[in-house]
Amino acid sequence: MPVTLTEAAAKHVTRYLARRGKGVGVRLGVKTTGCSGLAYKLEYADEAQPEDVVFEQHGVKVLVDPKSLPYIEGTELDFVREGLNEGFKFHNPNERDRCGCGESFRI
């Protein structure tokens, strides 16, 4: 299953890359950390790596390293504003549990 972006997330990424003046999209992966074991890592990517799995939606590329893909396959990346806070939200169908602080998850 692909990793997808909502229209709101794609617009945010497109605006940020335009302000930055460079970049091909966002790199999404996981790292081992936190109470539940895994945490998302998201960064703007200046170039694709040869091993990256690339998904594209709304004109924005999402680059995923092959080791992270089994943990985030099917994830939808959204960008939301809630009051004064704004940020990316991950809707991952593989998540079984999330720690109380919301920083890490378990598959």
Side-chain angles (χ1 to χ4, degrees):
M1 286 197 308
V3 174
T4 59
L5 288 162
T6 64
E7 192 172 335
K11 284 181 181 179
H12 180 77
V13 170
T14 300
R15 280 193 306 266
Y16 187 82
L17 291 176
R19 270 193 310 231
R20 222 174 145 235
K22 63 179 180 177
V24 297
V26 291
R27 183 175 309 284
L28 177 59
V30 295
K31 61 183 177 180
T32 305
T33 188
C35 316
S36 296
L38 296 170
Y40 296 105
K41 57 181 186 174
L42 181 69
E43 60 190 12
Y44 292 95
D46 291 333
E47 59 186 40
Q49 300 300 316
E51 67 274 4
D52 284 338
V53 179
V54 181
F55 302 98
E56 188 168 345
Q57 192 163 27
H58 305 292
V60 174
K61 292 181 182 175
V62 179
L63 312 166
V64 180
D65 70 271
K67 291 180 182 176
S68 294
L69 188 58
Y71 301 106
I72 59 176
E73 195 169 24
T75 296
E76 178 186 64
L77 182 60
D78 194 8
F79 187 80
V80 296
R81 289 192 170 105
E82 297 170 345
L84 297 175
N85 298 318
E86 64 180 22
F88 288 101
K89 295 277 185 183
F90 303 91
H91 304 284
N92 184 345
N94 303 307
E95 278 189 27
R96 297 290 175 244
D97 193 23
R98 187 172 270 271
C99 73
C101 65
E103 293 297 318
S104 62
F105 67 98
R106 184 168 49 92
I107 299 291

